[in-house]
Amino acid sequence: MALDDEPRLGCGRSIDRIWTTVDQPPNAHEQTCGQCQAARSRLRSLREATQSLRESDVHNTDLKPRSGVKSSIMDVARAEIRRSRRILLASNGNGTTEISEQALSAVIRLAAAEVHGIHARRCRIEIASASSDSSAGDRPSGYPGLVGSHLVIGLRVAVAPDINIPRTVESLRQRIITAVPAGVGISAGTVNLTVEDLYDV
Amino acid sequence: MSEIPLQSQVITSKLVASLAARTALETPGVLRLEPTVQGFLARLGPAALQRLYNPASQDGTYRDDGVRVSINDNVALVHLDIATDIAYTALNVAEIVQQRVRENIGHTGLAVGPVDVTILAIEPPPRARVR
Amino acid sequence: MEHYGHGYEPEPGLDEGSIVARAQDGDLRAFEYLVNSYQDRLFRLAYRMLNDRGDAEDVVQDALTASWRGLAMLQDVQAFGGWVYRLATNRCLDVLRKRSTRTEHITDPQDILSISMDGAGSDQLADPAYEAERTARDDSLTRVVNTLPPEQRACWLLREMHGRSYAEIGVTLKISPAAVRGRLARARIQIAEGMSEWR
């Protein structure tokens, strides 16, 4: 009794069961049970009323917050945004050139957007100094900037369920390796890709 | 005040700032000057509000969205925050901006210090974003 | 401000999880897209919980601001929707708790009536008799829903007006999905009876 949390009518019929079968013809018990018949008829009107209210609420232009609500939310977000890290690209007699981490990750995201079946998610950018990374000597050189260090790009992605993941990830890597020098002017360094999810098409 | 008398004419940090901003905006690959979060915050407080109406502050620094200029001992120091077009290489764009801004400021008779550039955004050009 | 004024246009067809991930990386336009996509829904929930525009707007603002602050901690990007609904629901329940410790909150029936009369289903057939009947029914339903205890009302609104899952509602109200099912069944029969009395 204590275990049975399911609300029932006096006749023992589960209310939830009546609700889920309210659009079907009454069963043998429901045909003869007065309680069930009354409940069925009321629940059927409730179902219509519920649907009607849901639709009118969704379309009711008065049931929206004032535009000031969104501005306040965005003001707080803007004021509290962590200052995006700046990466020094070049420094010479004319002055220094820095790039924000966000601008750099935008280039990576735009590159990822060109690869079919890939949705870019979180993107992390680290700077590895050459002295602390033995593999740095192997990286392709010939691009200015980031003297004595290189980028380590960590991008997480969701993929479409119907793609060849290894092949797609490899073409994503190639896109990034091409796009970063073209859009920014430095080598992409190390590109670490993680497939974290499938997205629904 | 921030006005620096120079050869009977007056070069203000505000003038240098508008020169630098215009030069940057005329450089191919620059989409716009980028207002920073700091700039936004500066617009909030009453003290900042005062600065908005009187942008040239006591220390001779001029701030506007995307450009900061100070003049010390007749040397102009310029900082620009820019957004660039993905079709261009941002580092090259920044270097061209630095050269041109230095040239144009040089024409005012001021000595030119470093022109520091921060690339705050890289985007497709506006037309390409329209579907 | 003007930079974020225009609608955020992510790549066409970008899934919500990916937009959430961008917002987690500090992309304000992605966050603004999420605000656009949830503020009306959360307002409808809060308004039906609290019957007060100002309080409902406060709930929307608090919940979405809290979502910005907690975004970096969100492990599963798919869970964003359930999470902001939870933030909003719990704020509504807090407001109702505070109200009940003070004084009975007086809902002006005129206020509810005018809300459901104005622009209700403006794209529906403009049959005045049908409209009047429909509005009267909406009105009687909301009146009866307002008599439910707060947690049961939240349960009913989340499921019937917002289509949230039993599991998610259970997490929000700290009860099992089976208990959500039971509470809903009780709410439905109570509302159905209440409505038949109004006729």
Side-chain angles (χ1 to χ4, degrees), chain C residues 72-86:
Chain C
M73 266 103 78
L74 186 70
Q75 292 291 324
D76 177 8
V77 289
Q78 314 283 13
F80 181 80
W83 179 50
V84 288
Y85 263 103
R86 184 159 84 237

Side-chain angles (χ1 to χ4, degrees), chain C:
Chain C
M1 201 175 301
E2 50 285 352
H3 276 289
Y4 306 100
H6 56 76
Y8 175 72
E9 229 181 274
E11 298 128 45
L14 196 63
D15 63 296
E16 184 177 289
S18 299
I19 295 170
V20 171
R22 286 171 196 210
Q24 287 185 308
D25 277 356
D27 181 340
L28 280 174
R29 289 177 214 194
F31 180 65
E32 184 178 23
Y33 177 90
L34 295 170
V35 171
N36 280 338
S37 134
Y38 280 95
Q39 62 167 352
D40 292 356
R41 287 187 257 177
L42 297 182
F43 180 81
R44 290 198 296 273
L45 172 71
Y47 183 78
R48 290 295 177 213
M49 282 299 290
L50 304 172
N51 294 299
D52 181 291
R53 290 194 67 91
D55 285 353
E57 286 178 343
D58 287 349
V59 163
V60 172
Q61 188 173 325
D62 283 2
L64 286 169
T65 304
S67 83
W68 168 257
R69 293 183 174 143
L71 205 50
M73 266 103 78
L74 186 70
Q75 292 291 324
D76 177 8
V77 289
Q78 314 283 13
F80 181 80
W83 179 50
V84 288
Y85 263 103
R86 184 159 84 237
L87 292 171
T89 305
N90 285 326
R91 275 165 176 73
C92 288
L93 294 172
D94 283 348
V95 171
L96 292 171
R97 240 170 261 134
K98 274 182 205 141
R99 275 186 198 166
S100 68
T101 58
R102 279 191 225 121
T103 171
E104 184 79 11
H105 183 77
I106 296 149
T107 303
D108 182 359
Q110 211 53 46
D111 191 27
I112 299 178
L113 201 61
S114 63
I115 283 265
S116 35
M117 299 275 279
D118 294 347
S122 48
D123 57 343
Q124 291 289 327
L125 296 169
D127 175 350
Y130 171 80
E131 275 308 303
E133 189 194 326
R134 180 190 171 108
T135 324
R137 185 172 56 181
D138 285 357
D139 190 38
S140 94
L141 176 54
T142 53
R143 276 169 208 251
V144 179
V145 167
N146 280 326
T147 66
L148 295 176
E151 296 217 343
Q152 202 173 17
R153 184 153 84 235
C155 201
W156 187 85
L157 288 168
L158 286 168
R159 180 68 198 167
E160 301 290 68
M161 294 289 112
H162 298 268
R164 310 312 296 184
S165 72
Y166 290 134
E168 183 188 303
I169 298 169
V171 170
T172 297
L173 300 177
K174 300 185 186 71
I175 55 177
S176 71
V180 172
R181 191 176 278 272
R183 213 174 267 195
L184 263 174
R186 261 179 238 109
R188 287 190 189 115
I189 204 79
Q190 210 171 315
I191 297 168
E193 278 166 13
M195 285 186 76
S196 64
E197 281 164 22
W198 275 97
R199 297 219 175 95

Side-chain angles (χ1 to χ4, degrees), chain A residues 43 45 59 86 152 166 168 199:
Chain A
L43 287 174
S45 339
H59 295 112
R86 309 291 156 86
V152 180
T168 307
Y199 65 84

Side-chain angles (χ1 to χ4, degrees), chain A residues 85 87 99 101 103-109 111-112 120-128 133 146 150-157 172-181 184 186-194, chain C residues 25:
Chain A
R85 206 155 35 108
I87 296 161
I99 186 169
E101 193 176 327
L104 193 47
S105 63
V107 172
I108 296 162
R109 288 184 194 290
R121 288 196 170 168
R122 301 201 74 171
C123 180
R124 285 191 195 290
I125 291 159
E126 307 293 336
I127 310 293
D133 185 347
L146 289 172
H150 73 287
L151 294 180
V152 180
I153 295 167
L155 180 68
R156 308 178 76 85
V157 299
L172 172 61
R173 188 188 312 280
Q174 291 310 319
R175 271 305 300 138
I176 293 172
I177 288 172
T178 315
V180 172
V184 183
I186 56 172
S187 161
T190 307
V191 181
N192 296 322
L193 300 172
T194 308
Chain C
D25 277 356

